[in-house]
Amino acid sequence: MTQARFDLASALAAHRTADLAEQAAGRLFAEFLASSPDAFERHHPPGHFTGSAWLVSADGQRVLLTHHRKLGRWLQLGGHADGDPDLAAVALREAQEESGLTDLVVEPVIFDLDRHAIPARGSEPEHWHYDVRFVVRATGSEAFEVNEESLALAWKPIAEIAADPDADESLRRMARKWLSRL
């Protein structure tokens, strides 16, 4: 096992949450990590790891979300590991690429875990994303740029996401977690 894979296994074992579904996800993530050396590659048939950013504003009251082009939903920024087992670095890279923001800082501790099915699209079959999420903080300008992966980007109040029954359940969970830290 490479050092980066060992570090992820250790981080998964250390991740604590009161959410029962996320606890179960943690066990699934550890099993998936041990299942194949290709777990970080998008060509891996059952699925692959992804890294996401809970990108919070400097004041900690808002999060930057993307209206995802392929999925048509408001979600956190993030993307494929493409072979990189350092998922905190993946989350930071994806946040920078998808927002155009600079002066971002990633917290290296896992913030959230979410396993979700990605529907079949074109020649790509349905598969699982094992999404490891990290807090990324905006420390400079919050003026973002929309790229081709998004229909839109928006800073959303975290308290509103936590209370919105129409928001994605994993976004509501992360919003509640974040608010409990304040």
Side-chain angles (χ1 to χ4, degrees):
M1 180 181 285
T2 67
Q3 184 62 46
R5 289 174 72 93
F6 176 80
D7 291 347
L8 179 57
S10 297
L12 289 168
H15 181 65
R16 299 289 178 253
T17 179
D19 185 274
L20 295 176
E22 192 181 356
Q23 288 174 20
R27 291 186 293 276
L28 285 172
F29 279 50
E31 291 169 9
F32 184 69
L33 176 63
S35 72
S36 172
D38 290 337
F40 296 93
E41 302 290 350
R42 29 175 124 196
H43 65 75
H44 187 52
H48 41 265
F49 280 104
T50 56
S52 287
W54 180 249
L55 178 46
V56 294
S57 58
D59 65 6
Q61 300 300 308
R62 295 165 291 125
V63 64
L64 187 63
L65 299 180
T66 176
H67 191 204
H68 196 278
R69 183 172 298 280
K70 289 182 182 176
L71 299 175
R73 299 183 349 219
W74 286 98
L75 300 170
Q76 74 286 343
L77 303 174
H80 294 97
D82 289 329
D84 187 352
D86 183 347
L87 296 177
V90 170
L92 179 61
R93 179 186 72 231
E94 291 291 331
Q96 292 167 330
E97 288 175 1
E98 293 180 14
S99 71
L101 295 175
T102 57
D103 301 320
L104 300 178
V105 177
V106 64
E107 294 181 5
V109 176
I110 294 172
F111 177 61
D112 189 72
L113 298 171
D114 191 72
R115 178 179 175 255
H116 50 271
I118 300 299
R121 183 177 162 93
S123 63
E124 185 177 292
E126 182 179 68
H127 60 279
W128 291 101
H129 275 184
Y130 291 78
D131 197 24
V132 182
R133 294 148 174 201
F134 297 86
V135 171
V136 175
R137 294 179 180 269
T139 63
S141 171
E142 294 178 5
F144 55 78
E145 296 175 18
V146 178
N147 76 6
E148 69 280 351
E149 294 184 37
S150 300
L151 295 170
L153 294 173
W155 287 104
K156 302 276 188 173
I158 296 171
E160 287 180 17
I161 295 167
D164 182 357
D166 294 327
D168 180 88
E169 174 52 36
S170 73
L171 285 181
R172 289 197 327 265
R173 181 180 64 237
M174 288 188 290
R176 290 188 302 266
K177 273 189 203 183
W178 181 256
L179 293 173
S180 74
R181 291 172 59 166
L182 299 180

